[in-house]
Amino acid sequence: MNYNINKGIGRTVEFKGLKAQYLFIFAGGLLGMLILVMIMYMIGVNSFICIVLGTGSASLIVWQTFSLNRKYGEHGLMKIAANKRHPKYIICRKPVHRYLKNNTKQTVK
């Protein structure tokens, strides 16, 4: 018997070149823009304005997402977020001799 081997095990999700979190940013941005245009249309905003705003914003989302994917790569956004959480410097308010002092506990008899 011949068995098919799944060669995609362990790989990240990819669609048209978008990888990992960029795919979710892309889909979420387009879905949010669609909902915003639908709400604007139901409120009574001019159809031409809805279409122009929707296509312009969707184009911007697509362009920006692919640009981020190209610039930072698969794990780039996570690395940037982690780097922002690190402190720039450590504040040391104790005098230096307090750190160098020998802390020996005396036993009570």
Side-chain angles (χ1 to χ4, degrees):
M1 291 187 122
N2 292 333
Y3 295 103
N4 293 330
I5 298 173
N6 186 358
K7 296 185 180 183
I9 295 175
R11 287 188 181 171
T12 58
V13 179
E14 183 177 350
F15 176 73
K16 302 278 185 184
L18 288 177
K19 294 182 179 180
Q21 70 267 24
Y22 302 106
L23 189 60
F24 296 113
I25 293 171
F26 178 74
L30 290 181
L31 182 65
M33 199 64 240
L34 175 69
I35 292 171
L36 181 68
V37 168
M38 288 171 36
I39 290 172
M40 286 173 36
Y41 184 75
M42 290 188 324
I43 289 174
V45 178
N46 189 0
S47 299
F48 182 73
I49 294 173
C50 290
I51 291 172
V52 168
L53 186 69
T55 54
S57 299
S59 300
L60 182 68
I61 289 170
V62 169
W63 174 71
Q64 193 65 30
T65 307
F66 276 95
S67 174
L68 286 172
N69 186 36
R70 197 174 328 107
K71 183 176 181 180
Y72 294 116
E74 185 176 343
H75 303 292
L77 290 181
M78 290 184 285
K79 289 179 183 179
I80 291 170
N83 196 18
K84 286 183 180 180
R85 280 184 254 140
H86 285 282
K88 292 184 181 179
Y89 50 87
I90 298 173
I91 297 174
C92 176
R93 292 198 168 106
K94 287 184 182 180
V96 177
H97 69 84
R98 297 280 311 263
Y99 291 109
L100 300 175
K101 187 177 176 183
N102 189 5
N103 291 332
T104 56
K105 290 186 177 184
Q106 297 178 359
T107 58
V108 179
K109 292 183 181 180

